[in-house]
């Protein structure tokens, strides 16, 4: 089977980006990270991409009049790189129909909560403030709403009584990396099927 050509969109640290790159390098994931898209030139993820030899498209939103304008450029870059699947992994920008419409069903996001609980920013802090005993991680298709697209996979993370945002984040990130790499492996083996809001992942 051909390698799955991925683009990762990220804005900050990029530990999920790194987990994907590492899985590709170890042979756990039959894929190629063909492009990193980043809206923050100083982000750590840009440095990670350079070290891994991944091509980077970095932009600054303020240099464009409208969100749609940089997205048109992103779509062009995705096509030029032969990307098959977009992974939003800590990409802190709202996206418009310029990206969502042509890429629906081929664009996924990782969110640090068990959706539909705690969508939007700071899923970890929201879960702690609410006092839930179990939170977790969701990987879902991206639609036009806020973290509202069809769910592909979820994993639970138990909240301990003495957890702080920092201690919980350590376990959340570990859960994210494992779940995301597993989902991408399923995509690379063409085992993911989307029908309406229902997503099934065929067993290996
Ligand atoms: C992760 O918690 C992810 O779920 C959220 O943004 C964070 C990105 O972390 N969407 P990193 O940049 O991959 O370390």
């Amino acid at each position: 089977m051909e390698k799955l050509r991925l683009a990762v969109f990220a804005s900050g640290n990029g530990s999920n980006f790194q987990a994907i790159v590492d899985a590709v390098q170890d042979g756990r994931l039959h894929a190629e990270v063909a492009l990193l898209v980043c809206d923050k030139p100083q982000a750590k993820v840009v440095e990670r991409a350079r070290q891994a030899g991944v091509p980077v498209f970095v932009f600054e939103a303020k240099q464009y009049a409208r969100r749609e304008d940089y997205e048109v450029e992103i779509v062009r870059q995705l096509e030029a790189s032969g990307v098959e699947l977009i992974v939003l992994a800590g990409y802190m920008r709202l996206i418009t129909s310029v990206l969502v419409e042509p890429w629906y069903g081929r664009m996924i996001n990782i969110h640090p909560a068990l959706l539909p609980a705690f969508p939007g920013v700071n899923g970890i802090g929201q879960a702690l403030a609410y006092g839930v005993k179990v939170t977790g991680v969701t990987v879902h298709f991206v639609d036009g709403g806020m973290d509202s697209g069809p769910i592909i996979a979820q994993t639970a993370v138990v909240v301990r009584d003495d957890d702080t945002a920092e201690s919980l984040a350590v376990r959340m990130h570990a859960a994210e990396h494992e779940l995301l790499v597993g989902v991408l492996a399923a995509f690379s083996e063409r085992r993911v099927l989307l029908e309406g809001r229902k997503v099934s992942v065929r067993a290996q």
Side-chain angles (χ1 to χ4, degrees), residues 4 44 46-47 95 100 120 152-153 158 160 170 177 181 184 186 190 193 198:
L4 177 69
K44 170 107 191 263
V46 173
E47 191 187 312
I95 58 174
V100 174
I152 302 166
V158 170
R160 297 179 186 150
V170 171
H177 302 161
V181 169
L184 291 176
R190 324 288 162 190
L193 185 69
K198 275 267 184 221

Side-chain angles (χ1 to χ4, degrees), residues 12-17 89-92 109-112 124 173 176-177:
N13 177 28
S15 70
N16 282 283
F17 171 84
Y91 181 64
M92 302 303 287
N109 179 47
I110 181 148
H111 182 75
I124 297 176
H173 279 123
E176 287 186 343
H177 302 161

